[in-house]
Amino acid sequence: MVFRKPPDGGWGWVIVLVSFFTQFLCYGSPLAVGVLYLEWLDTFGEGKGKTAWVGSLANGIGLLASPVCSICVSSFGARPVAIFSGFMVAGGLMMSSFAPNIYFLYVSYGIVVGLGCGLLYTATVTITCQYFDKRRGLALGLISTGSSVGLFIYAALQRELIELYGLDGCLLIVGALSLNILACGSLMRPLESSGSPPLEKPCVEKVPDQYFVYREKEKTVEENISILEKGYIDEKCVNSVPDCKQDSILNKNVLSAINVNEKDTYKKKVVEHTNFCKQLAKRKWQLYLTYWKETMVLFKNKVFSALFVAILLFDIGGFPPSLLMEDVARSANINEDDYYMPLISIIGIMTTVGKLILGILADFKWVNTLYLYVTTLLMTGVALFAIPFAKSYLTLAMLSGILGFLTGNWSIFPYVTTKTVGIEKLTHAYGILMFFAGLGNSLGPPIVGWFYDWTQEYDTAFYFSGFCVLLGGFLLLLAALPCWNACTNQSSKLPPNAYSYKAASSA
């Protein structure tokens, strides 16, 4: 498919609109799963750690499967993947309404819905990047707020639906709303030049010339053909020894009478296909080796190594509040009549504000985005330490707003990654970091839930969460300090293609 130059407008704004609603519809329920979490605790009577796996899988499985999602979008296009994923999200939510136990929810809500959200996220980001170049940052910022707005609205919506129709009815209605993703996906028209003719399938004879990596001598083909001819005659002789000479003469006469060139052409094709498969296997192996070599080079960059540890620890400690804050309020014996707004809704709306403000700050030249990101990590750790001391709705609401705002640092994370490894390694590095982010999302809530099951209170759990986030922030700060860079640069030089934060930012 031949793509034309991104228009930076026109139908691109329709793409932004439908991508916003796609993320709103698919991420609304998984991000606001804390409301459902309370109902699942009461319905199935399982431990908090085991029940928390449902929401953590729904939010982490898409990040863990990000390489597979990228391959699907690259192979089939954004529109087919979006439509197929819409069926996955809607079907997973509706199936969850019939869940007989918590293990069924692991598959229906955790894996099916989570994987569908991951596919939709990749599809919306890919199609938006195709339509925008100069305004790409603005377009991506607008569609990323869809998930935060979804969290804000779905937290209150799911609570009302549970009161009116019960847990099963809520999941059925939310699943039906997710079917609107199909309409949004159908509007994701691929950006391709209207006058470009469709690509023809390469002829069999042209395949080796186009894809051979290692050229072999022509005499190798001729030698292989002679081997095939010899094997053909030997096989006939073994099957019928007395008539061997007669058969060979007859075969020669028949082949010469039909077309000798067709036989040679067929044998050449067999040899060429064999060589093509062999060379393709060698090429794939070389690509895998190159990929792992580049990965090892990335981890030799101390700032990148600290960054992947920081994002892992941040998601282990920073993600649980969005899932467990409602249960924290219930454990603190806060009366539901004192609720002016669900705590998860506060987290959602403040995440939107945080994404916008932190994204604007990152555009200023005098702001060091790495230090800004480290600051958000350290402040998040302090806020997590303060949760055990919050015993009223007002204090929990304030902490929810602070944590939501700081969680908006996702908007500057691509900036930090680019400054750390350089633009040419952004895709490779970002995929690795997103994998660890998904791992942290999957492990964080169950770990906090297990702490509660062991201690019967959330204080120790959030002390642990705060410690994880603070540890990640301090490690990243230590790796980025100029004095530390000077000491390490004197002792050893960076390997080729590895970038320190200072060098990459100046470039």
Side-chain angles (χ1 to χ4, degrees):
M1 185 176 293
V2 180
F3 294 100
R4 67 169 188 256
K5 184 179 179 181
D8 280 303
W11 190 259
W13 295 118
V14 178
I15 297 296
V16 170
L17 182 63
V18 298
S19 297
F20 172 88
F21 279 108
T22 297
Q23 293 201 15
F24 170 84
L25 292 168
C26 74
Y27 277 105
S29 180
L31 289 179
V33 72
V35 177
L36 304 176
Y37 171 76
L38 298 177
E39 301 298 323
W40 288 331
L41 284 174
D42 298 335
T43 301
F44 300 114
E46 301 286 353
K48 294 182 185 293
K50 184 181 292 187
T51 307
W53 271 111
V54 181
S56 63
L57 284 175
N59 287 277
I61 198 71
L63 294 175
L64 288 172
S66 55
V68 178
C69 298
S70 299
I71 292 173
C72 292
V73 175
S74 300
S75 302
F76 304 104
R79 179 159 58 183
V81 169
I83 294 175
F84 174 77
S85 303
F87 281 112
M88 287 187 65
V89 174
L93 289 170
M94 292 181 180
M95 288 170 55
S96 299
S97 65
F98 302 100
N101 51 55
I102 199 70
Y103 302 103
F104 187 91
L105 286 174
Y106 289 164
V107 178
S108 63
Y109 198 97
I111 296 178
V112 177
V113 176
L115 187 58
C117 291
L119 288 168
L120 285 168
Y121 176 80
T122 305
T124 54
V125 171
T126 301
I127 193 69
T128 303
C129 290
Q130 291 175 0
Y131 270 87
F132 288 89
D133 184 15
K134 297 179 180 178
R135 300 178 180 176
R136 183 174 297 170
L138 174 62
L140 291 175
L142 290 174
I143 69 171
S144 67
T145 58
S147 58
S148 301
V149 176
L151 169 58
F152 171 70
I153 294 179
Y154 269 74
L157 176 63
Q158 290 185 146
R159 174 175 291 180
E160 291 296 326
L161 291 176
I162 290 173
E163 292 180 359
L164 293 174
Y165 305 104
L167 177 61
D168 297 342
C170 170
L171 290 170
L172 283 174
I173 295 173
V174 171
L177 289 175
S178 300
L179 289 174
N180 289 285
I181 297 174
L182 307 181
C184 296
S186 64
L187 295 174
M188 295 181 183
R189 186 174 62 196
L191 182 65
E192 55 181 316
S193 58
S194 57
S196 60
L199 296 177
E200 297 180 356
K201 293 183 178 180
C203 299
V204 179
E205 293 80 8
K206 295 181 180 179
V207 169
D209 294 335
Q210 293 176 357
Y211 295 100
F212 274 2
V213 180
Y214 303 100
R215 300 290 183 181
E216 296 190 2
K217 296 180 180 180
E218 294 295 334
K219 67 176 184 179
T220 305
V221 178
E222 301 299 334
E223 290 174 357
N224 290 331
I225 292 177
S226 64
I227 292 173
L228 287 174
E229 290 177 347
K230 183 178 179 180
Y232 176 78
I233 296 174
D234 291 343
E235 183 180 356
K236 295 293 294 182
C237 292
V238 171
N239 293 335
S240 180
V241 177
D243 299 332
C244 179
K245 295 182 179 180
Q246 183 178 358
D247 289 343
S248 62
I249 296 173
L250 179 60
N251 287 334
K252 289 181 179 179
N253 294 333
V254 172
L255 289 174
S256 60
I258 299 175
N259 193 348
V260 179
N261 292 331
E262 292 183 1
K263 176 183 175 182
D264 295 338
T265 302
Y266 172 76
K267 293 176 180 178
K268 283 185 178 180
K269 289 180 179 180
V270 173
V271 175
E272 287 173 350
H273 284 186
T274 303
N275 289 336
F276 170 68
C277 294
K278 181 173 64 175
Q279 303 306 328
L280 184 61
K282 290 181 179 178
R283 184 182 181 185
K284 292 295 184 182
W285 178 247
Q286 291 297 328
L287 290 176
Y288 287 132
L289 289 179
T290 302
Y291 175 84
W292 287 111
K293 287 179 181 178
E294 292 179 354
T295 302
M296 292 300 103
V297 170
L298 285 175
F299 280 101
K300 289 180 180 179
N301 183 347
K302 64 180 180 304
V303 179
F304 178 81
S305 299
L307 189 61
F308 103 84
V309 174
I311 191 66
L312 175 63
L313 294 177
F314 172 74
D315 279 279
I316 289 177
F319 176 67
S322 63
L323 175 62
L324 304 174
M325 192 60 79
E326 297 291 333
D327 192 46
V328 171
R330 186 169 71 171
S331 300
N333 297 321
I334 297 176
N335 191 356
E336 292 186 359
D337 295 336
D338 297 335
Y339 277 45
Y340 300 101
M341 183 184 298
L343 296 175
I344 299 179
S345 295
I346 297 175
I347 294 176
I349 196 63
M350 290 305 296
T351 301
T352 304
V353 176
K355 286 180 178 179
L356 295 175
I357 294 179
L358 293 174
I360 293 172
L361 287 175
D363 287 333
F364 290 107
K365 295 182 179 180
W366 52 270
V367 175
N368 188 309
T369 52
L370 181 58
Y371 292 153
L372 177 62
Y373 185 74
V374 170
T375 302
T376 61
L377 294 183
L378 298 178
M379 293 178 65
T380 301
V382 174
L384 289 171
F385 272 116
I387 289 179
F389 300 98
K391 301 301 180 181
S392 65
Y393 172 80
L394 181 60
T395 53
L396 281 177
M398 293 175 60
L399 288 174
S400 298
I402 294 172
L403 289 171
F405 179 86
L406 297 173
T407 306
N409 61 7
W410 275 99
S411 63
I412 64 173
F413 191 72
Y415 286 82
V416 176
T417 308
T418 304
K419 295 292 185 180
T420 303
V421 301
I423 189 64
E424 66 279 356
K425 294 182 179 294
L426 174 61
T427 303
H428 189 182
Y430 198 72
I432 295 173
L433 294 173
M434 287 300 98
F435 175 83
F436 286 106
L439 185 63
N441 274 347
S442 301
L443 295 177
I447 291 176
V448 173
W450 289 332
F451 269 109
Y452 184 91
D453 293 336
W454 294 334
T455 62
Q456 296 301 312
E457 43 86 17
Y458 275 115
D459 294 355
T460 306
F462 281 103
Y463 289 148
F464 170 79
S465 298
F467 173 77
C468 288
V469 178
L470 284 176
L471 177 62
F474 278 120
L475 289 176
L476 186 57
L477 178 62
L478 180 63
L481 285 176
C483 59
W484 178 254
N485 288 333
C487 294
T488 54
N489 288 337
Q490 290 177 1
S491 60
S492 62
K493 294 183 179 180
L494 286 173
N497 298 327
Y499 300 87
S500 67
Y501 182 83
K502 184 177 180 180
S505 61
S506 62

